[in-house]
Amino acid sequence: MCLTCSIVKGAKIPPGGLIYKDNEVVIHHCIDVDVPGYLILSPIRHVTTYQDLTQTEIMTIAMILKEVVAILQQIPDVEKVYILNLAEETSHFHFHIFPRYCWMLDSFNAELFSDGKLDGAKLFSYYRRENKVNKLQDIANLEQTIEFIRNRLNSGG
Ligand SMILES: [Zn+2]
């Protein structure tokens, strides 16, 4: 069983538990990166590509994405929200919903830039690597952020 299916079935508990679940999709916090509000949105069904999604799943994902991005943008210091689909480590189709905080923009860090311009893909990779943790329960503030997102999401924004 893949990581996402384990989370959907409750065999693995992500930090703070599931943030959102309906008949089509599930949202949970990233399990091993200390970036508050870094979320994973997946269909409940184990499909591996966007083309495998049903029309209902696509509609649900589109609507919930809009909502969750708006919620993340209410978090202080979040300047922008990245949405990515890579599926290199986990085959189960998913979107990374990654808040870019103002503290991430370090103009002296050459690893974040390409040709003098901020490179979002590099920034995402950099902070995924730098903020990777073994024990997520040790992270301060994460629970608070998860509760904030969960409350807003389940009360319609
Ligand atoms: Zn799966």
Side-chain angles (χ1 to χ4, degrees), residues 2 4-5 46 92:
C2 86
T4 306
C5 284
H46 182 97
H92 194 124

mmCIF file of all heavy atoms in Angstrom, residues 2 4-5 46 92, ligand 1:
data_model
loop_
_atom_site.group_PDB
_atom_site.id
_atom_site.type_symbol
_atom_site.label_atom_id
_atom_site.label_comp_id
_atom_site.label_asym_id
_atom_site.label_seq_id
_atom_site.Cartn_x
_atom_site.Cartn_y
_atom_site.Cartn_z
ATOM 1 N N CYS A 2 0.551 2.218 -0.826
ATOM 2 C CA CYS A 2 1.381 3.421 -0.918
ATOM 3 C C CYS A 2 1.153 4.330 0.292
ATOM 4 O O CYS A 2 0.196 4.152 1.051
ATOM 5 C CB CYS A 2 1.117 4.169 -2.225
ATOM 6 S SG CYS A 2 -0.272 5.322 -2.174
ATOM 7 N N THR A 4 0.127 7.435 0.547
ATOM 8 C CA THR A 4 -1.147 8.167 0.547
ATOM 9 C C THR A 4 -2.312 7.240 0.886
ATOM 10 O O THR A 4 -3.184 7.604 1.684
ATOM 11 C CB THR A 4 -1.374 8.849 -0.817
ATOM 12 O OG1 THR A 4 -0.235 9.643 -1.120
ATOM 13 C CG2 THR A 4 -2.609 9.711 -0.804
ATOM 14 N N CYS A 5 -2.319 6.037 0.308
ATOM 15 C CA CYS A 5 -3.380 5.077 0.627
ATOM 16 C C CYS A 5 -3.344 4.714 2.123
ATOM 17 O O CYS A 5 -4.393 4.568 2.749
ATOM 18 C CB CYS A 5 -3.262 3.828 -0.242
ATOM 19 S SG CYS A 5 -3.839 4.102 -1.938
ATOM 20 N N HIS A 46 -6.525 5.456 -5.574
ATOM 21 C CA HIS A 46 -5.124 5.366 -5.988
ATOM 22 C C HIS A 46 -5.050 5.436 -7.511
ATOM 23 O O HIS A 46 -5.215 4.436 -8.213
ATOM 24 C CB HIS A 46 -4.482 4.073 -5.480
ATOM 25 C CG HIS A 46 -3.028 3.979 -5.846
ATOM 26 N ND1 HIS A 46 -2.022 4.324 -4.984
ATOM 27 C CD2 HIS A 46 -2.420 3.631 -6.999
ATOM 28 C CE1 HIS A 46 -0.851 4.173 -5.589
ATOM 29 N NE2 HIS A 46 -1.075 3.751 -6.817
ATOM 30 N N HIS A 92 1.059 7.763 -6.114
ATOM 31 C CA HIS A 92 -0.330 8.192 -5.928
ATOM 32 C C HIS A 92 -0.428 9.678 -6.303
ATOM 33 O O HIS A 92 0.286 10.507 -5.737
ATOM 34 C CB HIS A 92 -0.706 7.984 -4.449
ATOM 35 C CG HIS A 92 -2.162 8.068 -4.141
ATOM 36 N ND1 HIS A 92 -2.844 7.040 -3.508
ATOM 37 C CD2 HIS A 92 -3.071 9.055 -4.345
ATOM 38 C CE1 HIS A 92 -4.108 7.411 -3.335
ATOM 39 N NE2 HIS A 92 -4.268 8.628 -3.840
HETATM 40 ZN ZN ZN B 1 -2.211 5.103 -3.162
#
